[in-house]
Amino acid sequence: MSGTRPKGLPADGDGTRAVRAGLPEPVKYEPTLPGPVFAAHYHLPGEPTGPYTYGRDENPTWTHLEHAIGELEAPGEDGVETLVFASGMAATSSVLFSQLRAGDAVVLPGDGYQALPLVRAQLESYGIEVRTAPTGGDAQLDVLDGAKLLWIETPSNPGLDVCDVRRLVEAAHAGGARVAVDNTLATPLGQRPLELGADFSVASGTKQLTGHGDVLLGYVTGRDAEAMAAVRRWRKIVGAIPGPMEAWLAHRSLATLHLRAERQNANALAVAEVLRDWPEELGVRYPGLPDDPSHAVASRQMRRYGCVVSFTLPTRARAERFLDALRLVDDATSFGGVRSTAERRGRWGGDAVPEGFVRMSIGAEDPEDLVADVRRALGESAR
């Protein structure tokens, strides 16, 4: 059974689409969203020509989720396929290692997710040339010549720089390269990479897509049948498949994605404005701020700016005091959950950021409470 989406929903609104996406046709006395199917094998007499044969290859619970994500990533577009994975890194690896061969060149963002250096080392061990350049200023264009694949992360994590996806895609395609966009931070409600010309939209569903910090998941959406067949084959070979319970929880969570994204994006802007207007210069980054360096580009390709805000306090000690002083914001990694979190990113050692750099993921709490908590923590940590 393919993850290719059936006929699209008769709806244009993000909220309606999020609530209805991927649901099967209604059947009397059956649940609206069927429960998870826990099956390693299926009844299979005769030739194996049916949609479900073995649990590593297909699962009805995955299929519903894949249809739902495809509807969000590329509404109304035929021929789009989505494949779900056990994690965001499983999805990322599936594209990189299924599309590249020894002797190929790939362009990665130099300021992207902190696991990318590990990916780089593995790619290079297979004889693949890896080039890097920052996200901001479309700098990846400078190292694109002759590449087989361009990997874009926009907004970048954790620095929140934005590149012009359409411009990069046009240049990549002119040179014969495919383009994958990490859409984790934006989500399909904030940005649709396939509409911007990309070949793949890849994301960690662990973050805002599911939004509750209780599911590890990833996905790849693409429109090229041959390229997606290679991704599917990679998933089968390495067994990077999600559990049915995780897939079902993810699908259930999609119904509130629009509500969560609206609240979290509005809260993020409110917090970013407080940080920007604080008496100290904090180097605040949030693409939704009109004076952010990425705002103009982001406004041309994003419909929502995300729930992550970054800023830099003068020292490591000051950042740690700030985090300790927060009462409504948990000190935790990851982002996109309904409960606000923040962390000093330098503690992991994989990001080129100052010691006082803080990445804050804004949740769905009341904005007045969040703003008050951030103001108080800033003041207390300065003493």
Side-chain angles (χ1 to χ4, degrees), residues 200-289:
F200 304 100
S201 180
V202 187
S204 168
T206 309
K207 312 299 194 297
Q208 193 175 22
L209 189 83
T210 55
H212 293 83
D214 55 8
V215 173
L216 284 172
L217 193 87
Y219 70 85
V220 179
T221 300
R223 62 163 62 92
D224 185 283
E226 180 181 357
M228 289 301 293
V231 173
R232 177 184 291 275
R233 186 166 58 251
W234 178 265
R235 183 178 71 173
K236 177 183 177 73
I237 291 169
V238 301
I241 59 173
M245 191 67 197
E246 285 78 5
W248 185 86
L249 285 169
H251 198 168
R252 182 207 62 174
S253 298
L254 288 184
T256 61
L257 175 58
H258 179 255
L259 298 173
R260 291 184 280 108
E262 287 287 284
R263 179 59 169 260
Q264 290 175 254
N265 279 237
N267 283 356
L269 180 59
V271 170
E273 289 171 342
V274 167
L275 293 165
R276 180 198 60 192
D277 297 338
W278 191 252
E280 299 173 87
E281 173 52 52
L282 301 180
V284 181
R285 295 300 307 272
Y286 180 66
L289 287 171

Side-chain angles (χ1 to χ4, degrees), residues 110-114 153 155-161 185 285-286 308-311 335 343 345-346 350-354 357-360:
D111 54 345
Y113 181 53
Q114 67 167 8
E153 186 177 303
S156 61
N157 173 28
L160 302 182
D161 273 323
L185 200 146
R285 295 300 307 272
Y286 180 66
V308 178
V309 179
S310 69
F311 58 99
F335 59 84
E343 68 172 338
R345 283 300 291 175
D351 297 308
V353 295
F357 182 95
V358 174
R359 184 184 71 182
M360 181 174 286

